[in-house]
Amino acid sequence: MTAGPLSAEPLVSWRPGATRDAILEFVNQVTTPGSSSYVPPGERIAVIEHDGVLIPEIPRVQGVFTLQRLRTQRDRHPEWETLMPFRGALEIGERFFREVDPETALVVMAATHSGLTQSAFRREVQSFWRTARHPAHGVAWSRTAYLPMQELLDLLRSQGFRIFIVTAGSADFVRAISQDMYGIPPERVIGSQVETGLVEEDGQLELRRIPGDVLLVDGAQKVLAIDSQIGQRPLVAVGRARHGGDIEMLRYSERLGRPSLQLLIIHDDFERDFALFDEDPESLAAAARGGWRVVSMRWEWRRLFAFEPLPEALQ
Amino acid sequence: MTAGPLSAEPLVSWRPGATRDAILEFVNQVTTPGSSSYVPPGERIAVIEHDGVLIPEIPRVQGVFTLQRLRTQRDRHPEWETLMPFRGALEIGERFFREVDPETALVVMAATHSGLTQSAFRREVQSFWRTARHPAHGVAWSRTAYLPMQELLDLLRSQGFRIFIVTAGSADFVRAISQDMYGIPPERVIGSQVETGLVEEDGQLELRRIPGDVLLVDGAQKVLAIDSQIGQRPLVAVGRARHGGDIEMLRYSERLGRPSLQLLIIHDDFERDFALFDEDPESLAAAARGGWRVVSMRWEWRRLFAFEPLPEALQ
């Protein structure tokens, strides 16, 4: 793959300043032949979290899907009315997925996302994405991709990078829209997965989703999954400053004495989107040690969504 | 990705006849817009075994690498001199890997392929590939790709297919040469893997290969790995008729009432390469039931290697 020229104004939704300059300078360094920091196209790998980085994290879209499945299946599972954590999710609704730890959320997801074949599950997910609307923004959920991140994907792609989504969320859930929303094909989505087993149905081999253990791709497991499925150390990593689940992935993309790029996104735009103000100190400390760029959505992104009116600075 | 026109003479090393016609006809059907069998580019996935399909299986190149590591490490492992299966491999040499079952071969591979970091292991593999020569053909091992399969990869790629190697051999071993030999990047190689663990070395995160369990990607595990890493049912599958390890993968690529392509390669060219004459009856029975094309190298391939003199029929 040969790299094309940078577009006339890349990262136009990013505020001019140190972070935007650092990204452009890094991309220029590693893609300029003859530069001492040059990295051949084959090694230009970027890994990016999904929830809270490419798309708003509140409410969690997969949480909403899970609740929908929980409610349609509750008649067949009377035990859920009393059994935790299912009872909690049914009573509290979407906020449940915001407040519990990832392992507890996974118990509910695993139970509601299993029992069907992969083909049937993928049809359910696709049908959800076709109709789901974001409750706060009032647009189709599939239109809530953050515009500055889309511009970053475009910039990296134009310079020969292969981009992978590496998410603690369900791989199958994100794969349903990764091509349409981000131009990222399903095989470049790495994420948490339930177990599957091979079965024969109507003379054809099918995979059935087994309730039980889930492989949670978070923390150190993200690095193991990157190594196992990509087989190379990434050059760019973008994560978010919550739970510390992206620290290992970002650290793994650091290269001793050679340039690499790490962005740590802070979900702090309480006016245009939603803010939690719960950045974990460990992620911020790791950013300071590693020289990562900490990206405040509120400050660094002039425009969040394509459906937003063009702000004055961009008119 | 848009599909280009077929090259003037695709599959030129394949003997004109039913198999070559069937491949060209299939590719034409699924890539012609408006055809009732049309498959959009996003779903054009091909999965292909490595050993014995893309490259000769005898001797197994990974077996030779394993023996080399076994011999350089034997001083540090006096127990190998008496302990099976290590003693067997040291005494019998390359034929050991031909005669034992895949699980036993894996025990030796896991022991010799672990203990180092992924970076160090990959350097070892790359250095092996740079110097290894095929003992029978007398050329660099990296030049022993089967020419007819290279032409098939070119044909599929020109028509917008994404091609994955799915091998019972070590993913890391094949990834070292997949781009250079086949134009297939490392992340499109799915294969058997040892466990790894995250460690810190010189302030950088590294993965260390752990001796112990190996995930053997063979039989049903091939389908599970395809689903987990690609997330789509393949449209084309190419395997070999030994051990039955490719039956599930080829069956999984069948589509009820819609075209798909399965090739089962028979390693039978005792004059130009090597023949084992040990095709397993189960693979052949599955081929008959599924309408797969059984490909005799000796009969269907007019030229096996690029280093071979051009046969009369092609002059």
Side-chain angles (χ1 to χ4, degrees):
Chain A
M1 199 178 311
T2 54
L6 290 180
S7 78
E9 200 176 354
L11 306 185
V12 67
S13 302
W14 292 67
R15 185 179 301 275
T19 297
R20 183 172 176 275
D21 290 350
I23 298 173
L24 293 173
E25 165 67 14
F26 162 79
V27 170
N28 187 48
Q29 278 186 323
V30 296
T31 59
T32 303
S35 140
S36 64
S37 309
Y38 180 74
V39 175
E43 296 170 29
R44 294 181 201 157
I45 303 284
V47 291
I48 300 183
E49 168 60 86
H50 184 248
D51 297 343
V53 172
L54 290 174
I55 194 174
E57 188 172 13
I58 304 297
R60 278 191 69 183
V61 60
Q62 204 188 336
V64 173
F65 171 73
T66 303
L67 275 177
Q68 189 173 303
R69 284 195 59 78
L70 201 64
R71 286 173 186 141
T72 56
Q73 292 177 288
R74 73 196 289 180
D75 289 346
R76 271 175 290 154
H77 291 278
E79 75 279 12
W80 288 351
E81 307 297 331
T82 48
L83 190 69
M84 291 296 276
F86 302 97
R87 197 189 85 199
L90 282 167
E91 284 178 358
I92 302 175
E94 186 281 325
R95 246 187 45 230
F96 171 85
F97 292 98
R98 198 183 314 169
E99 300 194 351
V100 298
D101 57 286
E103 285 76 13
T104 308
L106 263 179
V107 171
V108 183
M109 291 186 190
T112 53
H113 291 31
S114 61
L116 347 78
T117 61
Q118 284 288 55
S119 315
F121 180 73
R122 291 193 176 120
R123 279 194 301 272
E124 294 268 328
V125 173
Q126 270 153 1
S127 132
F128 171 84
W129 276 107
R130 265 195 303 274
T131 53
R133 291 178 76 78
H134 193 287
H137 297 304
V139 299
W141 221 308
S142 55
R143 291 181 57 210
T144 60
Y146 288 131
L147 193 57
M149 287 303 299
Q150 298 279 40
E151 294 168 2
L152 180 62
L153 300 184
D154 287 344
L155 169 66
L156 293 174
R157 235 183 322 248
S158 76
Q159 299 304 307
F161 276 81
R162 276 135 48 227
I163 302 167
F164 293 77
I165 292 175
V166 180
T167 177
S170 150
D172 289 309
F173 190 75
V174 177
R175 280 174 175 168
I177 44 77
S178 61
Q179 181 67 48
D180 289 348
M181 276 182 84
Y182 314 112
I184 296 176
E187 69 267 21
R188 292 198 182 154
V189 177
I190 296 173
S192 298
Q193 300 197 318
V194 303
E195 266 187 72
T196 57
L198 204 56
V199 293
E200 187 164 334
E201 293 194 352
D202 305 325
Q204 199 177 27
L205 289 191
E206 262 290 359
L207 287 160
R208 188 165 279 281
R209 299 168 69 89
I210 301 169
D213 275 0
V214 174
L215 175 67
L216 177 62
V217 174
D218 205 22
Q221 283 296 337
K222 282 199 169 181
V223 179
L224 269 53
I226 287 168
D227 180 67
S228 145
Q229 294 189 42
I230 307 178
Q232 291 188 70
R233 191 185 290 269
L235 187 60
V236 171
V238 189
R240 60 191 175 144
R242 283 194 68 207
H243 305 308
D246 288 329
I247 294 177
E248 285 88 349
M249 174 168 88
L250 272 75
R251 284 202 60 200
Y252 184 58
S253 70
E254 296 175 357
R255 292 165 176 226
L256 284 176
R258 292 168 53 201
S260 58
L261 179 69
Q262 293 79 28
L263 303 176
L264 188 72
I265 309 285
I266 310 231
H267 207 289
D268 61 358
D269 201 324
F270 56 87
E271 284 177 304
R272 296 177 295 177
D273 188 15
F274 198 98
L276 285 168
F277 302 113
D278 68 345
E279 301 85 60
D280 74 306
E282 278 184 45
S283 295
L284 296 173
R289 271 197 310 274
W292 308 344
R293 291 274 154 191
V294 177
V295 177
S296 151
M297 288 188 183
R298 182 168 159 72
W299 173 254
E300 300 284 1
W301 293 354
R302 299 198 285 185
R303 192 180 181 197
L304 249 59
F305 301 108
F307 59 77
E308 241 179 70
L310 208 59
E312 225 167 89
L314 293 176
Q315 276 166 5
Chain B
M1 199 178 306
T2 52
L6 291 180
S7 76
E9 200 178 353
L11 306 185
V12 66
S13 302
W14 292 66
R15 185 179 302 275
T19 297
R20 183 171 177 275
D21 290 349
I23 298 172
L24 294 173
E25 166 66 14
F26 162 80
V27 170
N28 187 48
Q29 278 187 324
V30 296
T31 59
T32 302
S35 140
S36 64
S37 311
Y38 179 74
V39 175
E43 296 170 29
R44 294 182 200 156
I45 303 284
V47 291
I48 299 183
E49 167 61 85
H50 185 248
D51 297 342
V53 171
L54 291 173
I55 194 175
E57 189 171 11
I58 304 297
R60 280 192 66 184
V61 59
Q62 204 188 336
V64 173
F65 170 74
T66 304
L67 275 176
Q68 188 174 303
R69 284 195 59 78
L70 201 65
R71 286 174 185 141
T72 56
Q73 291 176 290
R74 73 193 291 178
D75 289 346
R76 271 177 289 155
H77 290 277
E79 75 279 12
W80 288 353
E81 307 296 331
T82 47
L83 190 69
M84 290 297 274
F86 303 97
R87 197 189 86 199
L90 283 167
E91 283 178 359
I92 301 176
E94 185 280 325
R95 245 187 46 230
F96 171 85
F97 292 97
R98 199 184 314 171
E99 299 193 351
V100 298
D101 56 285
E103 285 77 14
T104 309
L106 264 178
V107 171
V108 182
M109 290 186 190
T112 52
H113 291 30
S114 62
L116 349 75
T117 61
Q118 284 289 55
S119 315
F121 179 72
R122 291 195 175 119
R123 279 195 300 273
E124 294 268 328
V125 173
Q126 270 153 1
S127 132
F128 171 82
W129 276 107
R130 265 195 303 274
T131 53
R133 292 179 76 78
H134 193 287
H137 296 304
V139 299
W141 220 308
S142 55
R143 291 181 57 210
T144 61
Y146 288 131
L147 193 57
M149 286 304 298
Q150 299 278 41
E151 293 168 2
L152 180 63
L153 299 184
D154 288 343
L155 169 66
L156 293 174
R157 236 182 322 248
S158 76
Q159 299 304 307
F161 277 81
R162 284 149 24 240
I163 303 167
F164 294 77
I165 293 176
V166 180
T167 177
S170 150
D172 290 310
F173 189 77
V174 176
R175 280 173 173 168
I177 45 77
S178 61
Q179 181 67 49
D180 289 348
M181 276 182 84
Y182 314 112
I184 296 176
E187 69 268 21
R188 293 200 181 153
V189 176
I190 296 172
S192 299
Q193 300 196 317
V194 302
E195 267 187 72
T196 58
L198 205 56
V199 294
E200 187 163 333
E201 292 194 353
D202 305 325
Q204 199 178 27
L205 289 192
E206 262 290 359
L207 287 160
R208 187 165 280 283
R209 300 169 67 90
I210 301 169
D213 274 359
V214 174
L215 175 67
L216 177 61
V217 176
D218 205 22
Q221 283 295 337
K222 283 199 168 181
V223 179
L224 269 54
I226 287 169
D227 180 67
S228 145
Q229 295 190 41
I230 307 178
Q232 290 189 68
R233 191 184 290 272
L235 188 58
V236 171
V238 188
R240 60 190 175 145
R242 284 193 66 205
H243 304 308
D246 288 328
I247 295 177
E248 285 88 349
M249 173 168 87
L250 272 75
R251 284 202 61 199
Y252 183 58
S253 71
E254 295 176 358
R255 292 164 176 227
L256 283 175
R258 292 168 54 203
S260 58
L261 179 69
Q262 294 78 28
L263 302 176
L264 189 71
I265 309 284
I266 310 229
H267 207 290
D268 62 357
D269 201 324
F270 56 86
E271 284 177 303
R272 295 176 296 177
D273 188 17
F274 198 97
L276 285 168
F277 301 114
D278 67 347
E279 302 85 59
D280 74 306
E282 278 184 44
S283 296
L284 296 173
R289 271 197 311 275
W292 308 344
R293 291 274 155 189
V294 177
V295 177
S296 151
M297 289 189 183
R298 181 168 159 72
W299 174 252
E300 300 285 0
W301 292 354
R302 297 198 285 184
R303 192 179 180 196
L304 249 60
F305 301 108
F307 59 77
E308 241 178 71
L310 208 59
E312 225 167 88
L314 292 175
Q315 276 166 6

